[in-house]
Amino acid sequence: MYKVILFGGTTEGRKLADYCDRHQISALVCVASDYGAELVKENLYVKVRPGAMEEQDMEELFRREKPELVIDSTHPYAAAVTENIRQACGAVEIPRIRITRDSQEEKGRGETVWVENAGEAADYLSERPGRVLFTTGTKDLPCFSHMAGFARRAYARVLPDEKALSLCRSLGLKGGQIIAMQGPFSFELNLAILNMTKASYLVTKESGAAGGFAEKLEAARAAGVRTVVIGRPKKEDGVTLKQAMKLLKGFGGSGRRKVFLAGIGMGGPGQLTQEVISCIAGADGVAGARRMVESAAELCQGKEIKTAYKPDEILRWLEENPELEQVAVLYSGDPGFYSGAGAMAELLRKHPENYETVILPGVSSVAFFCARLGMSWEDICLESLHGRQPDLEKRLKDHKKIFLLMGGKNSVSELCGWLVSRGRGRIQVSVGESLSYPEERIVVKTAEEMENQEFHGLCAVLLEDTL
């Protein structure tokens, strides 16, 4: 018996199946085709049942398996299947939730043509010349086959499934008119396909963010193509993917999510370690101050992003996005060296039942700067003036070399002015500005010579008493 029976080979369905796997929730995933089954990973907790079902089949399955919950995450346009699930759940008296997608109808206003169904779209296109790219799936293709010049004008983007390919061929489409790919698709790929087919029209459904609706519209505008959208059958009541995951949390045996606190070095080119690169590439979401996230922008593409540095704000984001199972929180330098990672780790450890915390080291500012200066740093006193007030007078008495992290405008000149006022104007001051970036600047002078020189806020400074 399964705790959950899940319907749908959609993006949401696959994410929910993965969630059940990670949280040790026994689930049966029902999909309509063998190809849909291939997209769901079977394991100890998740099993897959391929094949279409009528209402009676569903009732028999529910009576046999006695699930605690049925989740309908079928496509927004699968109205008949949704109704069958509803009727079957009612007959067996099993709780049911429907996963709904936010409507993006407003994004499609303007040059977009909205129609009620495939037949209406076919009538519209019959009266207008030009090639047509269909991205509605195979179910509606026969409706379009009666369109004037269909076999000559049509290009169909369908799933790479034998049944889909056979249907396209049966409707008269040649190999060059069939694009068999698994979506959703990026703006760039949509644009490339529209340009390749030389389409004048794009036919699609309002499938929401999960179906890549916005990317289709954007590509059509960029290509100068008119979009014909088949509207959703009706507005549905249901829950979002995030809400469903929160509900499922109570069904599982293990709900721990992995949060990596990753040091990205100084942030310039080549600073990321291979371990951190792999961590970001495998993460579902990435958080950090804007400069940190921008430093890893290429690796962050397509991921959920949160630009924040305050621990409570990041934790709130994690709680609001339960679907993010692996998250990378980025910090400059090394997380163990005057980093906000300490406070973040402390906060996460207050919730051991929810989060597993992993710290990944990075190249620290002291290691990087000393390497640039050609010296070792085992005999250096490490301090920070970035939001801290150490007893610098005492440090100067006890140590010949002091490394300082600086923060705030003109902080270097203020430090040098303070040294001069204490009779220490001959101390050698090395300043590293924008370390690791193309605009990196390193200046080495005495405190007297440096007193009126300007640097931006975040700098590394090394004080050396050479007398």
Side-chain angles (χ1 to χ4, degrees):
M1 293 191 296
Y2 299 93
K3 284 190 175 182
V4 174
I5 291 182
L6 170 65
F7 285 87
T10 56
T11 301
E12 294 91 343
R14 292 192 290 274
K15 287 182 177 180
L16 286 169
D18 185 55
Y19 186 91
C20 288
D21 171 31
R22 297 194 193 193
H23 291 258
Q24 301 176 11
I25 302 170
S26 60
L28 178 65
V29 182
C30 300
V31 294
S33 66
D34 290 334
Y35 177 73
E38 292 175 8
L39 300 178
V40 181
K41 179 182 174 184
E42 275 203 336
N43 48 61
L44 181 61
Y45 294 97
V46 176
K47 302 302 177 184
V48 182
R49 182 198 183 283
M53 284 189 282
E54 297 299 328
E55 180 188 335
Q56 187 60 40
D57 302 319
M58 295 176 184
E59 282 191 33
E60 292 175 3
L61 176 66
F62 298 162
R63 294 184 191 282
R64 182 173 65 250
E65 298 298 340
K66 297 180 173 59
E68 297 178 31
L69 178 68
V70 171
I71 301 178
D72 176 7
S73 63
T74 57
H75 196 276
Y77 287 78
V81 178
T82 290
E83 180 59 22
N84 285 341
I85 295 171
R86 189 186 70 80
Q87 293 283 0
C89 285
V92 186
E93 297 184 343
I94 291 177
R96 173 192 68 96
I97 59 173
R98 170 66 168 144
I99 307 299
T100 57
R101 296 176 180 178
D102 291 336
S103 174
Q104 295 186 311
E105 184 173 332
E106 288 305 314
K107 293 185 178 181
R109 293 305 177 190
E111 294 299 311
T112 302
V113 175
W114 287 80
V115 295
E116 293 291 330
N117 50 53
E120 190 176 327
D123 292 341
Y124 173 84
L125 293 166
S126 289
E127 299 173 358
R128 292 162 176 81
R131 296 180 178 182
V132 184
L133 174 63
F134 293 97
T135 64
T136 56
T138 53
K139 182 180 177 182
D140 293 310
L141 271 182
C143 297
F144 294 112
S145 65
H146 305 293
M147 179 185 80
F150 175 82
R152 172 177 47 82
R153 301 168 56 195
Y155 289 79
R157 191 167 76 189
V158 298
L159 291 173
D161 176 74
E162 270 305 319
K163 290 182 179 178
L165 296 175
S166 296
L167 176 64
C168 289
R169 294 190 188 101
S170 71
L171 296 175
L173 299 183
K174 306 283 192 250
Q177 295 171 277
I178 306 171
I179 303 163
M181 300 177 72
Q182 170 69 42
F185 303 93
S186 66
F187 158 77
E188 290 80 8
L189 187 50
N190 281 315
L191 180 59
I193 292 173
L194 286 169
N195 288 334
M196 179 193 71
T197 57
K198 296 181 173 59
S200 299
Y201 297 91
L202 168 68
V203 181
T204 186
K205 294 177 178 179
E206 200 270 280
S207 52
F213 182 64
E215 289 79 5
K216 293 178 190 176
L217 293 179
E218 186 181 359
R221 291 191 191 102
V225 170
R226 176 66 60 87
T227 305
V228 179
V229 182
I230 301 173
R232 293 189 188 181
K234 63 178 181 179
K235 183 176 176 59
E236 295 181 294
D237 293 325
V239 301
T240 65
L241 177 64
K242 292 179 182 179
Q243 290 170 333
M245 287 180 174
K246 288 181 180 179
L247 181 62
L248 281 173
K249 187 176 181 181
F251 287 74
S254 173
R256 300 230 300 169
R257 298 152 68 190
K258 189 170 285 189
V259 181
F260 292 89
L261 309 183
I264 65 167
M266 302 301 96
Q271 283 287 293
L272 297 178
T273 66
Q274 190 59 51
E275 186 178 35
V276 172
I277 290 173
S278 298
C279 165
I280 298 173
D284 303 310
V286 179
R290 185 173 300 279
R291 184 170 67 89
M292 309 304 117
V293 174
E294 289 176 350
S295 295
E298 290 187 12
L299 293 170
C300 294
Q301 290 182 10
K303 302 181 186 300
E304 191 78 21
I305 302 297
K306 176 65 176 180
T307 52
Y309 64 91
K310 294 180 179 179
D312 57 344
E313 191 174 349
I314 294 173
L315 180 62
R316 187 163 55 250
W317 172 68
L318 288 170
E319 292 173 345
E320 291 172 353
N321 294 273
E323 77 279 11
L324 304 179
E325 293 288 342
Q326 181 169 307
V327 172
V329 185
L330 308 184
Y331 295 93
S332 64
D334 181 83
F337 185 63
Y338 293 110
S339 171
M344 188 74 239
E346 183 179 352
L347 184 58
L348 290 170
R349 285 167 186 154
K350 292 180 180 179
H351 306 275
E353 72 285 0
N354 294 331
Y355 302 104
E356 176 187 352
T357 307
V358 180
I359 297 178
L360 300 182
V363 180
S364 69
S365 53
V366 61
F368 188 93
F369 191 35
C370 287
R372 282 286 198 259
L373 296 173
M375 65 171 65
S376 61
W377 53 282
E378 67 265 15
D379 59 341
I380 294 176
C381 173
L382 305 177
E383 276 293 357
S384 174
L385 294 180
H386 184 40
R388 296 166 59 90
Q389 293 294 328
D391 188 346
L392 199 54
E393 189 75 61
K394 185 177 186 304
R395 300 290 186 273
L396 289 166
K397 290 178 181 178
D398 296 340
H399 302 276
K400 289 287 186 180
K401 297 178 183 177
I402 302 175
F403 175 87
L404 297 168
L405 282 173
M406 308 297 293
K409 189 176 180 181
N410 298 323
S411 58
V412 173
S413 62
E414 290 173 3
L415 170 65
C416 291
W418 181 85
L419 289 170
V420 171
S421 70
R422 295 301 192 277
R424 295 179 179 272
R426 302 307 298 168
I427 282 181
Q428 181 171 288
V429 180
S430 302
V431 180
E433 181 183 62
S434 300
L435 292 175
S436 83
Y437 288 91
E439 62 272 21
E440 174 182 295
R441 181 168 65 130
I442 296 177
V443 180
V444 181
K445 294 181 180 180
T446 66
E448 290 176 338
E449 295 170 327
M450 199 83 77
E451 186 176 3
N452 296 315
Q453 194 155 345
E454 287 193 4
F455 297 88
H456 70 54
L458 297 175
C459 293
V461 172
L462 181 68
L463 305 181
E464 293 181 82
D465 189 350
T466 56
L467 299 178

